[in-house]
């Protein structure tokens, strides 16, 4: 009888390792983000400097890009819009002919089976770059919570009217899931699920995204409404509130630095859990790979597996399109 554990027996060959593999990343687990620009230049395709391989796209270029990705097995997208004009109330975010609304209609006309998720927030559409309406009081500028809810709900309904399959509020205003749920139901969209950015931290990992979406705050920061990275118990309070407000998915953002939070949410709730592998996570891997310091494909896949292993059912990742194109996920 052996006097110690022989774990290497199950790791001896690639076939054995695959046979006993506990987690894998599949095409249906991944959601690809796109940045669509409202422009008259049909050929507009602008590289995002801090995110190698990612672009701001005109509607026409977006159509080409998604069409190729669908042929490679793309199942789901999440859309972010960059409007022609911005104002203090983010009106282009809920305009019937807004850029996200146009992109949603295009997707559903061209690829009816593609799952289209829309980001519901005001930061990309406001001239001040905050996720809600601003109020000045005693010389101090604050984001007004309750007044913002009406506009977020209006945005979600406009996305549903355009054909979105899922709306995903990312603003972190208190009560926004309930406001959106009630507005969707009242408008006859009771079948449209809400994927709440339930646990969204005020993270330094968002830097490249703010270049991509042109959504950096013009003053101050978002620490008064996004979560403190030092906190974990607070995550369960936020997620519980969204469950009570009838969220259909719970999202944790960012993903990699918050694997413990993904696990907490997974263990506490039985709703589908999504995780957003954010721009900073992507950019760091890409930069190190381009410098030859790491094997980029291997590190990216390991990071995705870590997110799955922590308990995420779905992952929003900028690696999605490329990995599908090269057959690294199927």
């Amino acid at each position: 009888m052996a006097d110690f554990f022989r774990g290497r027996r199950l790791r001896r060959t690639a076939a054995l390792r695959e046979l006993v593999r506990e987690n894998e990343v599949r095409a249906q687990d991944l959601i690809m983000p796109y940045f669509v620009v409202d422009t008259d230049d049909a050929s507009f395709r602008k590289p995002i400097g801090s995110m190698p391989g990612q672009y701001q796209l005109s509607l026409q270029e977006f159509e080409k890009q998604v069409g190729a990705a669908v042929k490679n097995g793309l199942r789901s997208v999440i859309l972010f819009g960059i409007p022609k004009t911005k104002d203090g109330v983010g009106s282009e975010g809920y305009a019937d002919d807004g850029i996200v609304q146009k992109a949603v209609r295009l997707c559903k006309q061209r690829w009816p089976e593609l799952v289209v998720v829309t980001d519901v927030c005001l930061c990309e559409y406001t001239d001040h770059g905050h996720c809600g309406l601003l109020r000045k009081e005693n010389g101090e500028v604050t984001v007004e919570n309750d007044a913002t809810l009406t506009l977020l709900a209006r945005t979600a309904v406009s996305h549903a009217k355009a054909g979105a399959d899922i709306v995903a509020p990312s603003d972190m205003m208190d009560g926004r899931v309930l406001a959106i749920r009630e507005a969707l139901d009242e408008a006859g969209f009771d079948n449209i699920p809400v994927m709440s950015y339930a646990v969204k931290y005020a993270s330094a990992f968002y830097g490249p995204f703010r270049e991509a979406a042109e959504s950096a705050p013009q003053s101050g920061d978002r620490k008064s409404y996004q979560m403190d990275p030092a906190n974990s118990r607070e995550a369960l309070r936020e997620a519980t509130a969204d469950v009570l407000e009838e969220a259909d998915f719970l999202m944790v953002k960012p993903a990699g630095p918050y694997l413990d939070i993904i696990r907490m949410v997974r263990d506490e709730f039985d709703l589908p859990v999504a995780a957003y592998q954010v721009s900073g996570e992507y950019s760091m891997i890409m930069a190190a790979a381009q410098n030859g310091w790491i094997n980029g494909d291997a590190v990216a896949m390991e990071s995705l597996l870590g997110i799955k292993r922590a308990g995420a059912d779905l992952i929003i990742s900028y690696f999605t399109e490329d990995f599908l194109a090269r057959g690294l996920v199927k």
Side-chain angles (χ1 to χ4, degrees):
M1 180 179 294
D3 56 359
F4 52 83
F5 174 61
R6 297 280 185 180
R8 290 180 57 187
R9 289 175 182 146
L10 299 183
R11 300 193 290 269
R12 184 170 51 86
T13 68
L16 280 171
R17 292 192 295 273
E18 186 175 357
L19 182 69
V20 299
R21 186 161 294 144
E22 298 173 27
N23 293 280
E24 62 178 330
V25 179
R26 308 167 301 169
Q28 59 262 43
D29 301 330
L30 298 175
I31 302 172
M32 179 67 195
Y34 288 98
F35 301 97
V36 192
V37 181
D38 197 354
T39 175
D40 296 327
D41 180 0
S43 62
F44 184 87
R45 181 183 178 84
K46 180 182 177 182
I48 300 166
S50 58
M51 298 178 67
Q54 304 302 312
Y55 300 86
Q56 293 180 340
L57 301 167
S58 68
L59 199 60
Q60 292 82 354
E61 288 294 314
F62 168 74
E63 182 177 9
K64 294 176 187 176
Q65 189 104 0
V66 176
V70 168
K71 289 181 181 178
N72 291 327
L74 180 68
R75 312 288 182 87
S76 307
V77 301
I78 184 166
L79 304 181
F80 300 89
I82 302 168
K84 283 184 178 179
T85 60
K86 302 188 179 193
D87 57 33
V89 296
S91 59
E92 283 296 304
Y94 41 86
D96 288 340
D97 62 348
I99 184 58
V100 164
Q101 291 81 350
K102 291 176 184 176
V104 170
R105 286 192 287 268
L106 171 64
C107 286
K108 300 316 291 184
Q109 289 166 3
R110 287 290 316 277
W111 313 285
E113 299 305 313
L114 183 69
V115 176
V116 178
V117 186
T118 57
D119 179 77
V120 176
C121 196
L122 299 183
C123 64
E124 299 142 56
Y125 308 97
T126 54
D127 52 15
H128 48 74
H130 278 284
C131 301
L133 300 178
L134 296 187
R135 177 179 61 190
K136 289 186 179 180
E137 189 173 354
N138 299 324
E140 183 179 351
V141 178
T142 60
V143 175
E144 195 168 3
N145 191 94
D146 294 9
T148 299
L149 300 183
T150 300
L151 298 185
L152 294 170
R154 187 173 174 183
T155 301
V157 170
S158 75
H159 292 176
K161 285 181 178 177
D165 296 293
I166 301 170
V167 295
S170 63
D171 55 284
M172 286 302 283
M173 298 297 115
D174 295 336
R176 88 269 202 216
V177 172
L178 179 61
I180 289 171
R181 181 73 272 156
E182 289 180 342
L184 288 171
D185 292 352
E186 185 176 342
F189 296 108
D190 55 300
N191 61 324
I192 299 299
V194 177
M195 178 186 286
S196 174
Y197 287 66
V199 182
K200 181 177 178 180
Y201 286 89
S203 173
F205 283 83
Y206 301 151
F209 175 91
R210 291 174 182 171
E211 176 193 350
E214 299 181 8
S215 62
Q218 297 304 300
S219 62
D221 55 41
R222 296 177 177 147
K223 293 180 180 179
S224 67
Y225 45 101
Q226 295 177 359
M227 287 177 53
D228 186 339
N231 293 354
S232 56
R233 294 190 300 271
E234 183 184 8
L236 293 183
R237 296 198 297 272
E238 290 286 351
T240 297
D242 286 358
V243 170
L244 293 174
E245 293 176 20
E246 296 192 47
D248 300 282
F249 300 79
L250 299 173
M251 190 192 302
V252 176
K253 180 182 180 183
Y258 298 91
L259 297 178
D260 59 323
I261 306 301
I262 295 172
R263 172 48 56 187
M264 288 173 63
V265 172
R266 170 74 287 152
D267 288 345
E268 187 72 17
F269 304 101
D270 61 2
L271 294 178
V273 174
Y276 200 143
Q277 185 185 48
V278 300
S279 59
E281 298 175 72
Y282 171 85
S283 294
M284 288 193 303
I285 293 172
M286 291 297 290
Q290 288 181 346
N291 276 287
W293 297 336
I294 60 171
N295 179 324
D297 287 347
V299 170
M301 179 57 74
E302 189 173 335
S303 69
L304 292 171
L305 281 168
I307 296 165
K308 282 281 288 186
R309 194 177 62 248
D313 301 292
L314 305 169
I315 305 172
I316 301 172
S317 174
Y318 298 96
F319 289 109
T320 298
E321 191 180 83
D322 180 56
F323 272 27
L324 286 170
R326 295 190 291 127
L328 299 181
V329 292
K330 297 177 182 179

